[in-house]
Amino acid sequence: MLLENKVVLVTGASRGIGRATAVEAARQGADVAVNTFRDEAAAAEVVAEIEALGRRAVVFDADVALPESATGFVQAATQAFGRVDVFVSNAGVCPFHAFLDMPVETLRRTMEINLHGAYFMVQAAANQMVKQGEGGAIVAISSISALVGGEMQTHYTPTKAGVHSLMQSCAVALGRHGIRCNSVLPGTIATDINKDDLADPKKREYMEGRIPLGRLGRPEDIASVVAFLASDMAGYMSGAALLVDGGAFANFQ
Ligand SMILES: NC(=O)C1=CN([C@@H]2O[C@H](COP(=O)(O)OP(=O)(O)OC[C@H]3O[C@@H](n4cnc5c(N)ncnc54)[C@H](OP(=O)(O)O)[C@@H]3O)[C@@H](O)[C@H]2O)C=CC1
Ligand SMILES: C[C@H](O)[C@@H]1OC(=O)[C@H](O)[C@@H]1O
């Protein structure tokens, strides 16, 4: 098992990639603190899945955009399990919208959840790891969108480039504490975030056609890579970015 007896924290773990990551961490032997937002039923389901794997789970319901959510989440996890070994910054939104009439509030909220939220959370987790004095691993979910643009994602792609950059700078700032910081750049993974966008058969066919491996990604495709980066198997990796996209980025022509 890759994460035996580690304590893993995951933001945005009610569904999609975050949920798969929390469950994979438990499968790999970790106790897991899950941040959810507004969805008590989903939170209870994740806890049940983790406990069915023989591990402990604790839920912290909070909006990652608020700085106090970060300190609250880390405190709740530390109270429950005594420490923080791995932090996964995953929570994110992508409300597709055109550039020329982007509502200010949509731009602001996307930035506050995806980038500021990641910053506050990673900072709080790092402070706890530094206090413990035994290092740790931080993994942030960036995106292929850190590298390429999207017509309906002008508010979103800069947040994902920012998250990737945040991990690079944190790798530098935290290396002396033995804390490794890396990002995962998923391609198109079928989750609720793009359910409406991919409901258009033409768009779905186009996106699938771009992927050499021939299918959209699944949350579990990302969760396994996060588990690897969080584990000692990746003990000399820091400041790295792993593209997990079925080959889509490489497929120019
Ligand atoms: N799916 C994809 O193709 C890709 C996704 N990503 C990134 O992966 C991450 C997860 O996305 P994905 O699983 O696909 O999407 P989902 O919509 O399935 O899940 C998003 C998760 O983030 C949570 N969340 C949203 N806003 C907040 C908030 N303010 N505070 C706390 N939690 C919040 C949601 O909680 P709630 O249920 O309460 O809304 C949910 O658990 C995102 O950062 C996304 O940008 C990156 C590349 C590709
Ligand atoms: C929401 C998008 O469909 C998804 O998220 C990303 O980061 C990529 O742009 C994916 O296509």
Side-chain angles (χ1 to χ4, degrees):
M1 282 196 275
L2 290 179
L3 301 172
E4 197 154 17
N5 295 323
K6 299 277 187 197
V7 174
V8 176
L9 281 64
V10 185
T11 67
S14 60
R15 51 204 168 106
I17 293 169
R19 180 171 175 156
T21 298
V23 171
E24 182 60 29
R27 190 173 292 117
Q28 295 295 340
D31 291 326
V32 191
V34 296
N35 156 245
T36 59
F37 183 42
R38 298 171 304 195
D39 193 341
E40 277 179 35
E45 285 173 17
V46 185
V47 167
E49 276 191 76
I50 292 167
E51 289 179 348
L53 290 163
R55 302 308 309 190
R56 296 178 294 168
V58 67
V59 173
F60 187 74
D61 182 67
D63 179 354
V64 297
L66 304 173
E68 58 268 30
S69 297
T71 45
F73 184 33
V74 170
Q75 201 175 12
T78 310
Q79 263 166 16
F81 303 133
R83 56 187 293 108
V84 172
D85 297 305
V86 174
F87 191 87
V88 182
S89 176
N90 164 77
V93 294
C94 182
F96 285 75
H97 203 286
F99 176 57
L100 293 176
D101 63 347
M102 177 69 65
V104 170
E105 191 44 36
T106 304
L107 170 65
R108 186 175 288 145
R109 184 79 180 135
T110 303
M111 296 269 175
E112 285 178 358
I113 294 173
N114 294 8
L115 185 53
H116 298 186
Y119 192 105
F120 300 137
M121 281 286 175
V122 166
Q123 186 187 42
N127 270 305
Q128 176 61 29
M129 289 173 183
V130 170
K131 202 190 304 179
Q132 292 166 192
E134 293 172 14
I138 296 174
V139 182
I141 306 301
S142 171
S143 170
I144 190 174
S145 297
L147 309 176
V148 290
E151 181 178 358
M152 298 290 167
Q153 295 178 306
T154 57
H155 52 325
Y156 173 78
T157 60
T159 68
K160 291 291 146 180
V163 164
H164 163 55
S165 171
L166 175 64
M167 283 302 95
Q168 289 183 318
S169 288
C170 285
V172 179
L174 299 173
R176 70 181 68 101
H177 299 287
I179 300 171
R180 299 183 297 105
C181 301
N182 296 290
S183 58
V184 175
L185 281 58
T188 300
I189 313 301
T191 69
D192 289 346
I193 207 171
N194 47 30
K195 201 169 57 183
D196 293 344
D197 189 50
L198 297 176
D200 173 357
K202 272 195 188 146
K203 177 78 185 275
R204 192 180 180 102
E205 202 180 317
Y206 169 75
M207 295 306 285
E208 284 171 347
R210 288 188 54 99
I211 302 170
L213 288 183
R215 64 166 175 87
L216 298 177
R218 305 179 189 113
E220 294 71 21
D221 293 323
I222 306 304
S224 54
V225 175
V226 174
F228 161 70
L229 279 176
S231 77
D232 292 344
M233 295 269 285
Y236 196 57
M237 290 184 73
S238 199
L242 293 186
L243 190 56
V244 186
D245 67 347
F249 184 77
N251 186 16
F252 184 50
Q253 57 185 325

